[in-house]
Amino acid sequence: MKNHALMALALLALAALTLAAASAVYSQEDVTTVRDSAFGNRMRPPVPFLHDAHNEKAGIDECNVCHHVVEDGQLLADETSEDQECSECHLTARGAKPIELIAVYHLRCGGCHREQLAGPVMCAECHPRN
Ligand code: HEC
Ligand code: HEC
Ligand code: HEC
Ligand code: HEC
């Protein structure tokens, strides 16, 4: 009886550990590159991007500066799309509406860097050579 109870406890602990490990794998602090799954045949390697360190250094407080939700041209201030890839709304096809995927990254990432005169703006600064 006692042994069974102990065994059950041990199994529970193991399950909790496994869950914790699994959720850690998918959290934003582990993001080190931008690697949108919609780019099938990438011409360049994924872009280095230390998610949390970048956002802290850059002083970005709101997640929806990047993970936005837009309706009728209006940014919904209290909502985020952090559980979605940009490509779930922005398609890769040339000229896709509202804005094609490559341009979305270049506008958001490079746009802020140009505006703030901080962060990389040249192709090779964001796209390391193969
Ligand atoms: C400067 C832009 C930017 C900001 C600000 C930002 N993120 Fe992200 N985040 C990204 C990008 C880009 C990716 C996707 C990386 C990829 O597609 O490979 C991402 C990925 C994620 C993921 C998915 C992790 C995974 O791989 O499953 C989560 C969760 C996330 N971000 C949460 C947040 C939260 C919470 C905040 C605010 C505290 C935030 N992000 C702020 C750009 C940003
Ligand atoms: C839930 C859907 C959705 C997701 C996910 C999404 N977007 Fe958007 N985005 C839109 C819509 C809709 C518009 C068009 C807004 C308009 O018509 O003014 C837009 C417009 C834009 C624009 C141009 C206007 C502006 O805000 O500067 C950029 C840049 C952009 N998105 C970047 C991103 C990036 C980067 C990501 C991923 C981190 C992302 N979007 C994820 C829906 C989305
Ligand atoms: C709202 C403004 C803003 C946005 C959006 C933004 N950045 Fe930055 N980024 C900065 C600033 C500011 C710095 C300089 C930080 C410093 O070193 O003080 C920076 C620095 C960087 C650096 C240099 C290394 C580092 O982590 O500091 C890289 C690489 C970078 N950004 C990539 C990206 C990518 C990729 C995206 C889009 C997914 C992005 N940034 C979106 C503001 C932004
Ligand atoms: C501020 C950073 C930044 C700069 C500067 C930048 N890019 Fe990008 N670019 C990105 C990000 C982020 C993506 C999305 C990467 C991904 O998901 O794999 C991207 C995607 C791309 C893609 C589509 C994915 C692929 O590899 O086929 C191409 C092509 C590209 N960029 C070319 C360029 C060229 C050419 C320049 C210079 C004119 C440039 N980029 C400048 C950040 C940048």
Side-chain angles (χ1 to χ4, degrees), residues 29 50-59:
E29 65 245 39
L50 301 174
H51 192 282
D52 283 8
H54 170 275
N55 295 342
E56 201 173 306
K57 258 200 286 175

Side-chain angles (χ1 to χ4, degrees), residues 17-74:
L17 273 174
T18 313
L19 249 175
S23 59
V25 167
Y26 293 110
S27 68
Q28 67 270 22
E29 65 245 39
D30 299 307
V31 173
T32 55
T33 58
V34 186
R35 190 192 180 87
D36 198 305
S37 63
F39 294 118
N41 283 320
R42 240 182 222 83
M43 285 187 268
R44 295 155 181 272
V47 174
F49 177 64
L50 301 174
H51 192 282
D52 283 8
H54 170 275
N55 295 342
E56 201 173 306
K57 258 200 286 175
I60 307 172
D61 295 327
E62 301 293 337
C63 306
N64 67 3
V65 166
C66 295
H67 302 290
H68 62 187
V69 180
V70 187
E71 248 174 51
D72 302 324
Q74 292 294 111

